[in-house]
């Protein structure tokens, strides 16, 4: 069962009006062994300009939740339950054509695997500019100029040269920055970032996180940050949602969640972090493992 506190969110003066409102979201996968429920009864809201961190260990459903919001799961294998209200429209019921207008322009996603997300037969500049030209009416020269500016903003050295490079000519960290540039180029209302700094060194990671915070503050862009790093959430986000075994188990302001967590799983994640102290000993860990999607327990999935 999810543990929640009253959370201070953005408002238009007449009360809280979320940009994204997810209610009862569940993802079902068809397999040769029957229907398996990957996530269930997920509820959360994100306000315009709000920065929300989604945390939990691998296999808890963070990435699937992000992909389901953009309807990027295969229709022939995955079924959705519940509603995904974005700016008043239910994305779970939208047509494929309507979703194409939403993806990239109003909701963008930074994918976790830049090695496979970029097309190897087109230059990185072409792939970034293509997103802008599809969703806006800018010409080729203006699109190239905006692409150069965005490559510079995400920390690509010598963007005038790199804009005409192919993905295989770039390092993993540079490809990740190209993915971030492609996601930001249209100024989306909501940015879903799935481990956006995984392949980056500490200095560049700090620059990217600062860029995401700046985008949220200046453009009022909402950020949904999927990560394992609680330090990144503490530095970047205003709210933290903890997931376990396909469910939201805690939803609270970052300071409350990190200092006074209510759910034992959130407490376990915090205790497992290494500390810079002279005391030596074994690192704390959470006993057991996340239950398999094929054998989920009844009731609380975190029970002993």
């Amino acid at each position: 069962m999810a543990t929640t506190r009253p959370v201070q969110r953005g408002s238009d003066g007449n009360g809280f009006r979320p940009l994204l409102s997810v209610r009862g979201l569940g993802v079902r996968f068809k397999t040769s062994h029957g229907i398996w429920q990957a996530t269930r009864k997920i509820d959360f809201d994100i306000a315009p300009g709000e920065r929300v961190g989604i945390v939990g260990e691998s296999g808890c459903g963070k990435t699937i939740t992000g992909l389901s919001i953009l309807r990027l799961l295969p229709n022939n294998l995955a079924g959705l339950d519940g509603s995904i209200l974005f700016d008043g429209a239910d994305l779970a019921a939208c047509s494929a054509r309507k979703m194409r207008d939403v993806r990239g322009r109003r909701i963008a996603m930074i994918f976790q695997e830049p090695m496979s997300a970029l097309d190897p037969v087109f230059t990185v500049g072409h792939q970034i500019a293509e997103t802008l030209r599809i969703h806006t009416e800018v010409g080729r020269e203006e699109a190239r100029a905006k692409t150069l500016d965005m490559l510079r903003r995400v920390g690509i050295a010598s963007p005038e040269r790199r804009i005409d490079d192919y993905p295989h000519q770039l390092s993993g960290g540079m490809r990740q920055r190209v993915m971030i540039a492609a996601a930001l180029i249209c100024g989306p209302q909501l940015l879903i970032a799935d481990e956006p700094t995984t392949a980056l060194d500490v200095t560049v990671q700090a620059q990217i996180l600062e860029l995401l915070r700046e985008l949220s503050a200046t453009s009022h862009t909402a950020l949904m940050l999927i990560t394992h790093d609680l330090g990144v959430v503490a530095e970047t986000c205003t709210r933290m949602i903890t997931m376990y075994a396909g469910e939201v188990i805690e939803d609270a302001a970052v300071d409350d969640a990190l200092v006074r967590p209510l759910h034992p799983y959130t407490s376990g994640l915090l205790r497992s972090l290494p500390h810079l102290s002279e005391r030596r000993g074994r690192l704390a860990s959470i006993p057991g493992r996340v239950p398999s999607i094929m054998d989920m327990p009844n009731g609380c999935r975190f029970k002993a």
Side-chain angles (χ1 to χ4, degrees):
M1 180 178 294
T3 304
T4 61
R5 294 180 176 93
V7 180
Q8 185 68 35
R9 300 184 178 96
S11 161
D12 63 356
N14 297 318
F16 171 59
R17 294 185 181 178
L19 174 67
L20 178 72
S21 182
V22 175
R23 289 292 178 270
L25 180 62
V27 178
R28 295 169 282 105
F29 286 108
K30 296 179 183 178
T31 73
S32 58
H33 300 286
I35 303 297
W36 290 348
Q37 192 79 34
T39 63
R40 66 174 185 176
K41 300 179 182 178
I42 293 177
D43 296 341
F44 63 86
D45 296 329
I46 299 179
E50 189 176 22
R51 301 187 299 275
V52 179
I54 312 292
V55 303
E57 57 195 301
S58 297
C60 69
K62 304 185 303 297
T63 296
I64 284 179
T65 299
L67 293 173
S68 63
I69 290 172
L70 277 174
R71 299 267 304 279
L72 290 175
L73 298 172
N75 292 328
N76 60 329
L77 295 178
L80 293 182
D81 301 314
S83 62
I84 308 168
L85 296 178
F86 176 73
D87 202 17
D90 188 358
L91 300 185
C94 282
S95 65
R97 182 175 182 179
K98 177 66 176 178
M99 285 305 304
R100 283 195 295 269
D101 294 334
V102 172
R103 296 188 196 109
R105 178 65 183 92
R106 303 184 65 194
I107 304 178
M109 186 166 185
I110 301 171
F111 296 96
Q112 187 175 1
E113 297 292 341
M115 306 298 182
S116 58
L118 292 172
D119 194 320
V121 301
F122 293 103
T123 65
V124 295
H126 173 89
Q127 294 182 61
I128 297 172
E130 181 183 32
T131 302
L132 186 63
R133 297 192 67 192
I134 286 175
H135 293 289
T136 66
E137 298 180 355
V138 301
R140 188 181 301 274
E141 291 185 4
E142 184 179 355
R144 183 178 176 87
K146 289 180 178 292
T147 298
L148 278 171
D149 179 64
M150 186 55 68
L151 288 173
R152 194 173 292 111
R153 289 183 66 191
V154 298
I156 295 287
S158 305
E160 295 82 3
R161 178 168 61 89
R162 292 300 187 183
I163 192 173
D164 294 317
D165 282 350
Y166 290 87
H168 71 271
Q169 297 176 278
L170 306 179
S171 67
M174 294 180 73
R175 294 187 206 185
Q176 185 71 303
R177 279 174 272 180
V178 167
M179 286 296 303
I180 294 172
L184 299 179
I185 193 70
C186 287
Q189 294 170 271
L190 172 63
L191 178 62
I192 302 173
D194 189 1
E195 299 282 0
T197 58
T198 297
L200 307 181
D201 59 50
V202 176
T203 302
V204 177
Q205 173 177 300
Q207 294 172 352
I208 294 301
L209 294 176
E210 178 60 30
L211 174 61
L212 295 177
R213 286 195 299 270
E214 177 189 351
L215 175 76
S216 177
T218 58
S219 305
H220 216 45
T221 300
L223 174 65
M224 178 177 164
L225 179 63
I226 299 170
T227 182
H228 294 90
D229 193 334
L230 296 180
V232 168
V233 173
E235 183 180 356
T236 308
C237 300
T238 56
R239 197 164 114 244
M240 188 174 93
I241 295 174
T242 307
M243 292 189 65
Y244 179 81
E247 293 184 339
V248 171
I249 60 172
E250 186 161 359
D251 184 349
V254 163
D255 291 342
D256 289 334
L258 296 180
V259 178
R260 296 178 299 277
L262 296 182
H263 198 282
Y265 178 67
T266 309
S267 299
L269 289 177
L270 293 171
R271 286 196 305 271
S272 65
L273 294 175
H275 296 278
L276 296 177
S277 64
E278 296 182 0
R279 182 176 180 180
R280 296 183 179 181
R282 296 174 65 90
L283 289 174
S285 62
I286 301 174
R289 61 180 62 186
V290 179
S292 168
I293 189 177
M294 299 177 287
D295 188 28
M296 288 292 180
N298 296 322
C300 178
R301 294 183 171 181
F302 193 64
K303 68 180 181 180

